[in-house]
Amino acid sequence: MKLLNQPFRQYFREARLGILLLLLVAVMRFLFQPLFQIPQDQGTHWVSLTIMLPIIMLCYSVRVALKGGTFRDLLALAAWFALSGMLFVMLGIAIDDFAGVDTYYTVPGESNTWGHMLAHVVEGVILTLLLWGIGSVVYLVAGGRKRAASIGSTL
């Protein structure tokens, strides 16, 4: 039994707008403090990947439901979003700590950059499952199972 309906890389085409939005938020989050001098306690509410990820997943879940997709499609999209968000954060941490730029990715008193980045890898795996759960609920509310069944019965 296959885990996904298509190869994982093919889901990238569908997810690329969401990934681009995540990249935009990550770059804004990186630049708010050094470029615009907006303190972290003020700006972090406006540029949060943690808030943007469920919003993007909500939109894509409705789209999958309307297209007649399946829970497997949601899993692949959740993985693309969570893992790309994780990668953007890890790049921000690496540039921040190794280049000495003070951004929102800086953790005051953090001395273990590699441990911090590894924590985001674990978070990416957990977030994939969490986003899949959120997406599945939205998918069901949007009537995804009914559409998938009706499309499958017409084939």
Side-chain angles (χ1 to χ4, degrees):
M1 182 171 99
K2 296 185 328 183
L3 183 62
L4 303 173
N5 292 331
Q6 333 172 34
F8 185 62
R9 69 182 176 281
Q10 285 187 295
Y11 287 100
F12 177 78
R13 293 192 71 185
E14 190 172 344
R16 64 183 169 200
L17 178 61
I19 293 170
L20 186 62
L21 288 172
L22 290 173
L23 178 61
L24 179 66
V25 169
V27 169
M28 288 172 51
R29 186 171 178 79
F30 187 85
L31 295 176
F32 262 32
Q33 190 167 331
L35 193 61
F36 302 114
Q37 302 300 313
I38 299 172
Q40 186 170 357
D41 59 340
Q42 292 176 352
T44 197
H45 303 295
W46 297 103
V47 287
S48 171
L49 289 170
T50 306
I51 294 171
M52 185 58 100
L53 277 164
I55 292 170
I56 289 172
M57 192 65 202
L58 183 137
C59 296
Y60 273 84
S61 299
V62 170
R63 183 176 179 204
V64 168
L66 294 176
K67 268 182 30 179
T70 66
F71 290 109
R72 293 175 184 201
D73 299 323
L74 290 174
L75 176 60
L77 292 171
W80 270 112
F81 297 139
L83 298 176
S84 61
M86 171 202 65
L87 177 65
F88 300 148
V89 169
M90 288 174 57
L91 286 170
I93 292 168
I95 294 169
D96 184 317
D97 287 349
F98 298 132
V101 180
D102 189 27
T103 70
Y104 290 0
Y105 294 108
T106 302
V107 176
E110 176 70 46
S111 62
N112 186 356
T113 301
W114 295 107
H116 186 191
M117 290 168 60
L118 179 63
H120 282 281
V121 171
V122 173
E123 178 187 313
V125 172
I126 294 169
L127 198 54
T128 296
L129 298 175
L130 183 64
L131 288 174
W132 187 32
I134 291 169
S136 295
V137 170
V138 172
Y139 173 82
L140 289 172
V141 170
R145 289 291 278 183
K146 295 174 191 168
R147 288 187 196 284
S150 67
I151 289 173
S153 66
T154 60
L155 296 177

